[in-house]
Amino acid sequence: EELLTVGDEEYSQSDLEALGITSANYTNKDSETTTYDGVSLAALLEDANLDAAGSTITFTAADGYEVEMDVSEAFACTNCIVAFDNSSLRMVMPNMSGKLQVKDLISIEVE
């Protein structure tokens, strides 16, 4: 069952796991740190052939929430991951705006 759409590609949990699992720590506004396991954002974008596709990346949550960031910033963030969060996915973007920590992520688009 697909969890995530990235550009024209669809990924199941096993597809994501096949890209290699990495960990990242996320500290919330209450200074509580959680370690998440997931896939490198840059590796996922490269796998979906979005590495040179555009200048803006949009993350979309199941509830319709969207946030944008610069593609070059996404590739430069070596510890940004698409994390497994129980049965859904979330963005874990250490040291970045809270707005980018999208929960229940369903799609990543590059324009």
Side-chain angles (χ1 to χ4, degrees):
E1 135 194 25
E2 90 225 18
L3 278 178
L4 182 64
T5 303
V6 184
D8 296 328
E9 303 292 324
E10 292 185 345
Y11 291 86
S12 66
Q13 180 154 341
S14 56
D15 294 334
L16 292 169
E17 290 170 351
L19 295 175
I21 300 297
T22 186
S23 298
N25 293 327
Y26 173 63
T27 303
N28 68 15
K29 60 184 181 297
D30 299 322
S31 299
E32 299 163 334
T33 300
T34 306
T35 301
Y36 287 97
D37 291 329
V39 177
S40 156
L41 175 60
L44 180 59
L45 295 174
E46 284 175 23
D47 188 74
N49 296 313
L50 295 179
D51 41 334
S55 58
T56 304
I57 189 166
T58 304
F59 303 106
T60 305
D63 63 4
Y65 174 79
E66 289 184 351
V67 64
E68 294 181 348
M69 78 182 293
D70 189 78
V71 168
S72 59
E73 201 178 349
F75 274 100
C77 183
T78 54
N79 58 352
C80 289
I81 66 170
V82 176
F84 303 111
D85 189 20
N86 299 320
S87 60
S88 65
L89 297 171
R90 64 177 292 150
M91 295 305 306
V92 176
M93 316 276 275
N95 308 317
M96 292 206 181
S97 161
K99 292 184 290 199
L100 290 168
Q101 319 294 333
V102 179
K103 293 180 186 169
D104 214 2
L105 181 76
I106 58 166
S107 87
I108 299 174
E109 296 294 331
V110 176
E111 289 168 30

